[in-house]
Amino acid sequence: SSGINAEYGGCLLISDELNHASLILGARLSGAKIKVFRHNNMAHLEKILKTSIVMGQPRTRRPWKKILIVVEGIYSMEGTSCNLPKIVELKQKYKAYLYVDEAHSIGAMGKTGRGICEHYGVAPADIDILMGTFSKSFGAAGGYIAGDRELITYLKQESHAQAYSSAMSPPVARQTMAATEAIMGRDGTGEGQRRIRQLKENTRFFRTELQKRGYILFGELDSPVVPLLICSIARLCAFAKTSLANGLAPVVVGFPATPMLGARARFCLSASHTRKQLQWMIDLMEEQEPVLGLKLSSRHKSRS
């Protein structure tokens, strides 16, 4: 229920090309100038930073009031994580600001579930704006914006989304607090830490088994967002219908949300998934594979 306003102009947002649609829309609504860098390409990001500082604003060539780098902790359609240490290094080098969307990484990444900062060993204080959602790892609704006192005070006073939104309902607030206490290990049960370990085990098992069989997956080993490359829209639709008929409901995404030949199915793993369930999913995909041709890896031997 918060928004970043740049209505006074003179601000620059530098956004990863694969940022979520909500970030892209928010950037457009802010009124700031937007530049896009290639996904996780730190050389391209630095080039844009350097050029923007040297050239200044269009026409007037005045210095930018603020330069804000916008990235995601884990990219929801790629399963990749941002190169946070290098981004922080560039942010500090060029005196920019950094906004990190942790919707998919908070509660899932890091030894104790504290997100992308813990995963990479980066101090949260080095991130100017940390945003996350309570609808995923916390099992509730809403979200949060974290930053210094000056930023939060400004948002409370100036953000239209904050001023005209309703307060979080008591049950949702209590669920969020309970999930936070569990993740932090303050509930006295150890359940939160057990689930974080289980999620990592599930993720590594599922990814390793699929890749071993010749499926092409995007993302990193510890990312619980597991996109399976299918390429063809027709094949994607057939996979979705066949899976659903057999009790599996994968999220399928195609053009224009992905490149024309980048159609994919996305699996979002949970600590609640059992090894038996994950194996059943793999076996079901193996049953469909001879008909749909889901194994696109060059390491997979062609069928005779």
Side-chain angles (χ1 to χ4, degrees), residues 146-162:
D148 61 27
R149 184 179 296 274
E150 183 180 0
L151 169 71
I152 302 305
T153 300
Y154 174 80
L155 286 176
K156 287 179 177 178
Q157 295 173 350
E158 301 292 337
S159 170
H160 298 291
Q162 169 68 23

Side-chain angles (χ1 to χ4, degrees), residues 131-179:
M131 167 264 162
T133 178
F134 293 137
S135 64
K136 293 181 172 64
S137 295
F138 299 85
Y144 64 88
I145 292 281
D148 61 27
R149 184 179 296 274
E150 183 180 0
L151 169 71
I152 302 305
T153 300
Y154 174 80
L155 286 176
K156 287 179 177 178
Q157 295 173 350
E158 301 292 337
S159 170
H160 298 291
Q162 169 68 23
Y164 292 100
S165 64
S166 301
M168 184 181 287
S169 67
V172 172
R174 189 66 193 93
Q175 166 63 25
T176 303
M177 292 169 62

Side-chain angles (χ1 to χ4, degrees), residues 90-118:
L90 291 175
K91 167 241 175 183
Q92 294 172 339
K93 179 179 178 180
Y94 292 100
K95 304 296 189 294
Y97 295 83
L98 177 58
Y99 180 113
V100 178
D101 179 342
E102 283 224 87
H104 288 273
S105 53
I106 191 70
M109 300 292 285
K111 186 177 180 181
T112 62
R114 291 174 181 264
I116 200 69
C117 291
E118 184 180 49

Side-chain angles (χ1 to χ4, degrees), residues 48-62:
I48 291 177
L49 280 166
K50 192 180 298 183
T51 303
S52 300
I53 291 171
V54 170
M55 299 302 293
Q57 299 181 43
R59 294 191 301 276
T60 65
R61 300 307 173 196
R62 291 176 180 172

